[in-house]
Amino acid sequence: MSSRGTKKLLQGLRTAGSAPAGWIGSGLASRYCRLTGELRSGSSRALSGSGSGRGSMNVFNREMKKRQKNWAAVLQDGHQYDYLRDEVGSRVADRVYDIARTFPLALDIGGGKSHIAEHLSKNVVERLFLTDISQQILKFQRQSEIPTQRVLADEEFLPFRENTFDLVLSSLTLHWINDLPGGLRQIHQVLKPDGVFIGAMVGGETLYELRCSLQLAEMEREGGFSPHVSPYTAVTDLGNLLGQAGFTMLTVVRTF
């Protein structure tokens, strides 16, 4: 990258926090970011089965994702990188406490190292099934007073019967599945008629500045760009996807 391009890029990164959405570094980068924003919206429509008419499309290699999680699970200092999952897990647990009822049987999808369960008590959740695609992660057991059964399963294919669970939880895992509408429909199916689903996922303009800076740098060096950051579902689309899956009484909140 030329020194002039580097200077513009660094200036954009420093000021991105206070700049209007869609601006970073230069007007040229702004156009690139707006373009990729439209592409991401198009991807969301394709995943929801509208627009393209093709239904779901494979964006993520699930086998590779399993290898990544297995590798991360055995890192000696891996606990140092769990702070975000712990924080989001505690917030999901707080939402459970907001509901004045006890859940006899709950499911934690992609629960990993029990980032949600460690913040719950047996007075709220009596029994818990925890699933994850990584066998290595399932070996880690954090302290929890809730009787927990761990199941090796892909989030895209839930191995449970319909009308099984009173509560389904998910924290920072649904943004990595290929068929989000299908995944939400499966969650709705395994829930009992009066069941509750509480989930948290990465979405919207997460890592927007990083995405734009990578695109700007690659455009200047290569004359084109390829995606280096996962596509995320827009917050405005989540309500529609949940409604299409059969959920009612929806609440979608943007945090962080």
Side-chain angles (χ1 to χ4, degrees), residues 7 20 38 84 91 94 97 107 116 129 150 168 170 213 247:
K7 183 177 180 181
E38 294 171 1
L84 179 59
R91 296 193 183 194
D94 287 342
Y97 283 108
L107 170 65
I116 303 176
F129 276 73
R150 300 172 182 273
V168 174
S170 177
S213 62
F247 289 97

Side-chain angles (χ1 to χ4, degrees), residues 68-155:
Q68 290 174 349
K69 297 188 75 171
N70 282 332
W71 170 79
V74 297
L75 290 176
Q76 293 184 354
D77 58 346
H79 62 280
Q80 298 182 20
Y81 312 108
D82 287 338
Y83 56 89
L84 179 59
R85 290 186 177 277
D86 292 336
E87 174 63 25
V88 177
S90 68
R91 296 193 183 194
V92 172
D94 287 342
R95 299 297 186 272
V96 178
Y97 283 108
D98 289 339
I99 304 174
R101 60 182 284 193
T102 298
F103 299 96
L105 185 60
L107 170 65
D108 185 355
I109 300 175
K113 302 176 182 178
S114 305
H115 300 283
I116 303 176
E118 66 174 352
H119 300 287
L120 296 174
S121 69
K122 194 175 181 180
N123 295 329
V124 178
V125 175
E126 296 179 351
R127 291 177 55 216
L128 176 69
F129 276 73
L130 185 150
T131 73
D132 202 281
I133 195 175
S134 167
Q135 189 170 11
Q136 295 295 331
I137 285 183
L138 290 176
K139 294 179 181 179
F140 287 87
Q141 298 187 15
R142 294 188 178 182
Q143 275 194 335
S144 174
E145 61 183 66
I146 304 173
T148 302
Q149 182 171 342
R150 300 172 182 273
V151 179
L152 182 65
D154 193 323
E155 295 91 336

Side-chain angles (χ1 to χ4, degrees), residues 159-217:
F160 304 104
R161 296 180 179 178
E162 296 184 7
N163 304 325
T164 299
F165 297 98
D166 306 280
L167 171 68
V168 174
L169 305 170
S170 177
S171 178
L172 298 183
T173 185
L174 292 181
H175 54 273
W176 275 327
I177 68 174
N178 288 299
D179 185 7
L180 181 57
L184 293 175
R185 284 193 296 270
Q186 290 187 64
I187 292 173
H188 184 266
Q189 289 172 357
V190 301
L191 274 171
K192 293 180 179 179
D194 62 342
V196 177
F197 169 53
I198 302 176
M201 61 181 291
V202 178
E205 298 300 325
T206 304
L207 299 180
Y208 181 81
E209 293 83 0
L210 175 62
R211 187 192 307 272
C212 292
S213 62
L214 289 174
Q215 291 171 1
L216 174 62

Side-chain angles (χ1 to χ4, degrees), residues 31-58:
R31 288 194 291 274
Y32 292 149
C33 294
R34 285 199 296 269
L35 173 61
T36 53
E38 294 171 1
L39 291 174
R40 290 200 302 278
S41 297
S43 298
S44 297
R45 289 193 292 271
L47 286 170
S48 64
S50 60
S52 68
R54 297 178 182 178
S56 63
M57 63 179 182
N58 289 332

